[in-house]
Amino acid sequence: MELTGKERIWNEYQKEIAGDNYFYARSCIRQTFFPGSEWAYLDILRNKLNKQVTEDPRHTTCTGIGYHTDVVPAETTMTVVARHFALMTEAGCENMTPSCVTSFGLYTEILETWKHHPEIEEKIREFLWKSTKREFKKPANLAHTSDIIYKFRNEIAALAPHRLQDVHTGRPLRGVDHIGCHYAKMFPAQGIGGAEFPAVLSGLIQAWGGETVDYPERRHCCGFGFRNYLVMANRGFSVANSKKKFESMQAYEPDFIVANCPGCAMFLDKWQYTLSEMEGVTYGPNGFGIPVFTYEELTALVLGYDPWEIGLQMHQVAVEPFLDKIGIAYDPAAKYLNSRGEPMGQPACPTYMKVIK
Amino acid sequence: MNIVIIGGGPAGSEAAYRLAGEGYTVDLVEKENSIGGNLNNWYQLFPDRKPASEVVQGLQQHLNHPGITLHIDTEAIGITESAPGKFSVKLSNNTVLHSAAVLLATGYKLFDAGRKEEYGYGIYKRVITSAELENLFTNHSLATVYGDTPQRIGFIHCVGSRDEKICNYHCSKLCCITAIKQAIEVREMLPEAEIFCFYMDMRMFGPGYEELYREAQEQHNIKFIRGRLSEAAENINGQVVIKVEDTLVGKPLRMSLDLMVLMVGMEAAAGSGTLAGSVQIPLYPNGFIRPADPHTGTNLTARPGIFTAGSCTSPMNLTDTLTDARSAAWQIKKWLTGPDKQ
């Protein structure tokens, strides 16, 4: 493989990312699946990088899941997103940073649609005014929050007490970067590195001392596919997609997976359990799975956050083998204690996949 | 009377020879350091497997005609018309050539395979272009950059052609027959190898092409799969893993290859647009020069006195290019001997 070829593509796909004063749009599902991720992101931006981040509790879903499953009409989706832009405008911000890859893709798609069809934008402005009496300015800068972390990856590396290296051997850890389909597959120019060889997460891994794994099914969807999962009859198809990816990456013995899409991180984590129950297979060494992190979690880990404070006990695949490699201290007894130190219950053990309780 | 010909490929060289034979003086301008154009990159020609070097040598010999002045390593950067039928061609060395007629024979350029990012050209070392395969033929070795002899080879048709995604809607015409020729050449060098061609349509428009297509299937065991490559990746053994939909069987197909050959198409040369633009000659949307009329005005342009020959107007094989060049020479002679020129 010729890395210079990739670097040429990466250089062609760079985009302007605002340096400060962000309006933050939360994901519908990230906080449920990975409850510490968004908190960690905000804490890192505000308290480690000293950036201004504004959010508004009136912010709602972008309807992306409904839109992509054909149950929410496009006009409704655009009006809801227009309201998000209105909240951003009312907050005095102009740099929109959605946490969710689908929201990012949807915002991009809507702004592109309006660029080519200003009459649709006018119609949506009218809908928003009639329904909420709100007006808005379009974002001056739109970036996914993983773009923001990518922008500051070197600053984070300078602050980080941990490197993505095995502290026992000095070996760079091998990371699989999984990019959500809606990040750049629809609009390659809007993604760092484009759609085919995206660099938004591999750039983080490399900046923090790790190695990225380029495996044959790297571009393949995690299997969420919205309707694949949401319609129960299709759910086997969702699992099959993830299985294809795991089998493809397993030969490279990755130490971890990092994803920038809330759905991808969830499915790549949870389906490992499902597959182990269905087929008795595990994809990590010694009966463990391959640990899966959101990019916020990975950033927080290299910056020295407590694993349980950022919610890693909610993962299906055990993260402890990764923590041991990278040299992060943790209290095993505190894994299932809540913030008041009270036991919050423990999950049942899988039949085949090893976990640490 | 003097004629300036821009482009020393087969079209420009052939036209120069024909016009010099008619008693005209010709300035032939070529930006590279030798004539022959893209033909220099080819080993053998379809359908008769004539060595390309023989054709180039023939063209070169013709250029020894005393009426031809060859300007190599020199680029034409603009044309002006001071009066009807009086042209000045400015060269990159600041020389200005004056002529009564100008022939644009700027040819084509091969599609940059790196633009089809999903195919991994320039990243996966087992992915090469059809032009690079010709170079391997010239060196009589099909060893990959890893030193091994490929056992499974895939030819990917229509790379950079008929592709809305990269805004090339046109068919390059020649890639189908080139792939067949190359597949047969590979078969002759590697009798035990598996050879596949992945195509959209087989466009066998020239004499002997369809016969060669049949020969490839019947005598050389080359397998043709109708389906367009969606993406290529690299597996842990360094092989190229491809995903294709076999549209005849109606099933997706995944395969690992030791060598993947991208049949790169033809695009308008950058010089065509610059030179045509300098004298307000319109282009087709794909960048090739638009003739005065696609049926009755080939070789002619919207600007009287400026003519075209060869693949600067559309993808063209060598046979048609040479024929077109002779036609252009005849059109130029007709223009220069017309009633208003006497």
Side-chain angles (χ1 to χ4, degrees):
Chain A
M1 191 179 302
E2 194 69 68
L3 274 179
T4 52
K6 280 189 176 180
E7 286 162 2
R8 175 183 57 78
I9 292 175
W10 293 339
N11 288 332
E12 286 174 7
Y13 290 102
Q14 293 294 325
K15 66 175 187 181
E16 188 179 341
I17 302 171
D20 203 349
N21 297 319
Y22 307 112
F23 187 80
Y24 186 58
R26 286 182 184 255
S27 156
C28 295
I29 59 176
R30 196 188 291 275
Q31 293 171 95
T32 309
F33 298 154
F34 301 96
S37 282
E38 294 193 335
W39 171 83
Y41 173 83
L42 290 170
D43 196 65
I44 291 164
L45 263 286
R46 287 171 174 156
N47 300 321
K48 303 286 185 189
L49 299 172
N50 299 314
K51 303 298 175 186
Q52 181 71 39
V53 186
T54 305
E55 57 177 332
D56 190 322
R58 295 170 296 175
H59 172 260
T60 64
T61 173
C62 70
T63 76
I65 291 176
Y67 172 68
H68 287 292
T69 44
D70 283 348
V71 297
V72 177
E75 289 80 1
T76 306
T77 292
M78 284 194 274
T79 308
V80 170
V81 169
R83 181 177 170 277
H84 293 180
F85 293 160
L87 294 176
M88 177 196 74
T89 306
E90 290 164 16
C93 298
E94 56 181 16
N95 301 323
M96 177 61 95
T97 56
S99 164
C100 174
V101 154
T102 290
S103 297
F104 172 71
L106 197 53
Y107 290 1
T108 305
E109 183 181 342
I110 289 171
L111 291 171
E112 278 293 309
T113 303
W114 291 352
K115 187 166 82 180
H116 296 288
H117 298 280
E119 74 281 5
I120 296 178
E121 180 184 339
E122 279 310 305
K123 188 171 73 173
I124 298 303
R125 286 183 181 277
E126 188 183 334
F127 288 166
L128 184 68
W129 178 255
K130 284 180 177 172
S131 56
T132 69
K133 295 290 182 286
R134 281 191 155 93
E135 293 179 294
F136 67 93
K137 289 181 183 171
K138 287 184 281 190
N141 188 271
L142 172 63
H144 185 246
T145 41
S146 61
D147 293 332
I148 307 294
I149 296 292
Y150 176 87
K151 182 180 179 68
F152 297 115
R153 65 195 184 287
N154 294 324
E155 288 84 343
I156 290 166
L159 294 170
H162 302 290
R163 302 272 292 165
L164 294 176
Q165 291 175 346
D166 189 324
V167 291
H168 308 291
T169 64
R171 175 181 68 84
L173 298 186
R174 285 186 288 270
V176 162
D177 61 316
H178 179 82
I179 311 297
C181 291
H182 294 155
Y183 174 70
K185 284 180 182 171
M186 296 186 292
F187 298 95
Q190 299 305 316
I192 302 288
E196 303 299 336
F197 298 95
V200 63
L201 297 184
S202 61
L204 307 185
I205 294 171
Q206 289 172 7
W208 301 340
E211 284 178 356
T212 52
V213 173
D214 191 347
Y215 61 108
E217 299 295 351
R218 176 179 49 77
R219 299 181 183 102
H220 202 82
C221 172
C222 72
F224 186 0
F226 294 60
R227 222 179 330 204
N228 291 350
Y229 175 74
L230 298 173
V231 178
M232 190 174 285
N234 296 344
R235 208 163 281 175
F237 190 64
S238 176
V239 180
N241 279 282
S242 295
K243 180 174 188 279
K244 183 180 282 193
K245 288 187 73 73
F246 293 133
E247 288 178 347
S248 179
M249 71 175 76
Q250 188 178 22
Y252 297 82
E253 300 178 354
D255 296 292
F256 67 98
I257 299 169
V258 58
N260 68 347
C261 170
C264 299
M266 200 280 276
F267 282 96
L268 293 173
D269 184 50
K270 301 293 189 280
W271 278 161
Q272 288 193 66
Y273 158 75
T274 303
L275 285 161
S276 74
E277 294 297 317
M278 289 172 73
E279 301 191 333
V281 295
T282 53
Y283 298 99
N286 307 318
F288 285 96
I290 306 168
V292 183
F293 301 105
T294 67
Y295 63 95
E296 299 105 319
E297 290 172 343
L298 190 69
T299 311
L301 285 175
V302 297
L303 283 170
Y305 283 67
D306 184 284
W308 311 143
E309 193 178 13
I310 61 171
L312 298 193
Q313 63 275 61
M314 301 302 287
H315 286 218
Q316 185 70 59
V317 177
V319 298
E320 286 87 344
F322 176 85
L323 302 178
D324 293 339
K325 284 179 196 166
I326 197 174
I328 292 177
Y330 58 92
D331 179 2
K335 184 172 182 180
Y336 294 111
L337 300 180
N338 65 19
S339 58
R340 293 183 296 275
E342 301 159 346
M344 56 181 182
Q346 295 186 13
C349 276
T351 311
Y352 301 103
M353 190 167 72
K354 277 189 189 172
V355 295
I356 297 172
K357 298 185 80 173
Chain B
M1 276 186 279
N2 188 53
I3 299 156
V4 171
I5 297 178
I6 302 171
S13 301
E14 176 70 8
Y17 174 63
R18 298 292 169 181
L19 287 164
E22 295 293 330
Y24 296 104
T25 58
V26 177
D27 281 296
L28 179 59
V29 182
E30 169 54 46
K31 63 182 167 54
E32 303 296 335
N33 61 10
S34 64
I35 66 115
N38 287 293
L39 200 51
N40 288 313
N41 300 323
W42 250 242
Y43 174 58
Q44 291 181 336
L45 304 176
F46 52 78
D48 62 346
R49 309 279 295 278
K50 179 196 285 289
S53 57
E54 275 185 22
V55 178
V56 175
Q57 283 166 12
L59 293 170
Q60 255 166 347
Q61 283 170 2
H62 286 167
L63 296 183
N64 292 330
H65 193 289
I68 300 172
T69 304
L70 181 59
H71 306 261
I72 57 167
D73 271 333
T74 308
E75 196 163 355
I77 54 179
I79 306 170
T80 54
E81 186 176 17
S82 55
K86 291 190 174 179
F87 298 99
S88 300
V89 179
K90 189 175 181 187
L91 305 184
S92 53
N93 59 11
N94 289 324
T95 307
V96 177
L97 301 174
H98 301 286
S99 66
V102 175
L103 177 62
L104 300 175
T106 42
Y108 68 93
K109 66 175 180 183
L110 287 172
F111 175 75
D112 172 11
R115 286 173 58 199
K116 286 296 288 179
E117 292 171 8
E118 61 271 37
Y119 293 177
Y121 176 74
I123 295 173
Y124 306 131
K125 292 181 177 178
R126 292 180 184 274
V127 180
I128 66 172
T129 66
S130 45
E132 289 166 343
L133 181 61
E134 290 288 334
N135 192 40
L136 297 183
F137 290 146
T138 303
N139 295 324
H140 306 292
S141 169
L142 291 179
T144 70
V145 292
Y146 297 105
D148 61 315
T149 301
Q151 294 304 311
R152 188 183 286 160
I153 300 106
F155 289 86
I156 312 300
H157 291 223
C158 300
V159 177
S161 306
R162 304 177 70 194
D163 189 343
E164 185 174 352
K165 189 174 172 185
I166 47 105
C167 300
N168 277 355
Y169 298 92
H170 65 276
C171 169
S172 293
K173 283 171 50 176
L174 313 179
C175 323
C176 290
I177 184 65
T178 302
I180 288 171
K181 182 209 70 138
Q182 292 189 333
I184 292 173
E185 287 172 288
V186 170
R187 164 63 69 228
E188 289 168 355
M189 294 175 76
L190 304 173
E192 303 300 322
E194 292 179 274
I195 304 172
F196 299 89
C197 284
F198 298 94
Y199 69 97
M200 284 200 284
D201 299 293
M202 296 300 289
R203 297 190 161 178
M204 302 287 101
F205 67 96
Y209 292 9
E210 185 66 29
E211 291 87 336
L212 201 64
Y213 177 29
R214 180 177 286 268
E215 181 187 322
Q217 297 168 80
E218 291 181 348
Q219 296 179 30
H220 301 288
N221 191 25
I222 293 158
K223 295 182 175 65
F224 289 83
I225 296 174
R226 196 184 80 179
R228 189 155 204 169
L229 178 66
S230 62
E231 64 168 293
E234 192 178 76
N235 68 18
I236 201 162
N237 300 318
Q239 293 170 304
V240 181
V241 180
I242 61 168
K243 290 183 183 177
V244 181
E245 182 186 1
D246 185 332
T247 55
L248 292 180
V249 178
K251 286 184 177 175
L253 177 155
R254 194 161 38 161
M255 181 186 285
S256 59
L257 299 172
D258 300 318
L259 187 67
M260 183 165 96
V261 183
L262 303 178
M263 304 308 301
V264 285
M266 300 162 84
E267 289 188 314
S272 299
T274 308
L275 293 168
S278 69
V279 278
Q280 292 81 50
I281 293 173
L283 305 175
Y284 283 119
N286 61 14
F288 288 94
I289 298 173
R290 186 189 288 270
D293 183 278
H295 307 286
T296 60
T298 55
N299 303 124
L300 307 178
T301 68
R303 174 74 67 130
I306 299 184
F307 301 83
T308 61
S311 55
C312 63
T313 55
S314 69
M316 212 175 273
N317 66 6
L318 181 63
T319 311
D320 293 348
T321 297
L322 296 175
T323 306
D324 199 50
R326 292 191 281 273
S327 167
W330 180 82
Q331 290 279 15
I332 292 171
K333 182 184 174 188
K334 186 181 165 198
W335 154 262
L336 294 176
T337 55
D340 54 335
K341 302 287 177 187
Q342 298 301 318

